[in-house]
Amino acid sequence: MFSKIERVQTSTHIVNQILASISNGQLQPGSLLPSERDMAKMFNVSRVVVREAIAALSLLGVIQKKWGKGNYISDNINLSLIRNSVRHLIIVREQEVIDVIEARMAVECELAALAAMRRTSADLNRLRKT
């Protein structure tokens, strides 16, 4: 008759609110999010909780972190995907985030090695300019 109630991390609620704001058009691609400190005050949570939510959204490709400039809604975000999937993009357990990070590390390390092996002098010049 009754089913178990899942305990959801506070950061998941923040993720859901940000996704809902994107879905309903309040946040647009390229929009700057408030600072972690300001978001912590808005949500009445610690900055650690806000960082967890930002990290989860960054892993999903929803948020772009620009060091020293802030966190932005990704320009490459597929808004129709967000609108159709907002209820299903919930990261419930910390272990799931760790699994995703480990998988990305494995893939991205291999990609970095391939990029290093295949680099050209033009690639090196672009890196120097950057």
Side-chain angles (χ1 to χ4, degrees), residues 7-14 49 52 91-94 97:
R7 289 185 55 178
V8 179
Q9 289 181 328
T10 307
S11 60
T12 302
H13 292 292
I14 295 171
V49 174
E52 286 175 10
I91 297 179
V92 178
R93 293 178 190 90
E94 188 175 304
V97 174

Side-chain angles (χ1 to χ4, degrees), residues 52-107:
E52 286 175 10
I54 297 295
L57 289 166
S58 179
L59 284 172
L60 292 171
V62 174
I63 288 181
Q64 248 183 339
K65 292 174 142 191
K66 296 182 182 177
W67 301 112
K69 294 184 180 183
N71 298 307
Y72 292 80
I73 303 301
S74 177
D75 287 325
N76 300 322
I77 194 168
N78 184 335
L79 292 177
S80 63
L81 174 67
I82 293 295
R83 286 187 183 105
N84 294 329
S85 305
V86 71
R87 290 183 200 110
H88 306 290
L89 291 175
I90 298 171
I91 297 179
V92 178
R93 293 178 190 90
E94 188 175 304
Q95 186 58 44
E96 291 173 356
V97 174
I98 292 168
D99 291 345
V100 170
I101 291 170
E102 288 174 346
R104 283 188 63 179
M105 284 173 48
V107 170

Side-chain angles (χ1 to χ4, degrees), residues 33-52:
L33 287 175
S35 70
E36 287 179 1
R37 179 176 286 120
D38 290 343
M39 288 178 74
K41 286 179 187 174
M42 287 180 215
F43 291 116
N44 194 30
V45 297
S46 71
R47 288 176 67 184
V48 172
V49 174
V50 172
R51 277 191 210 111
E52 286 175 10

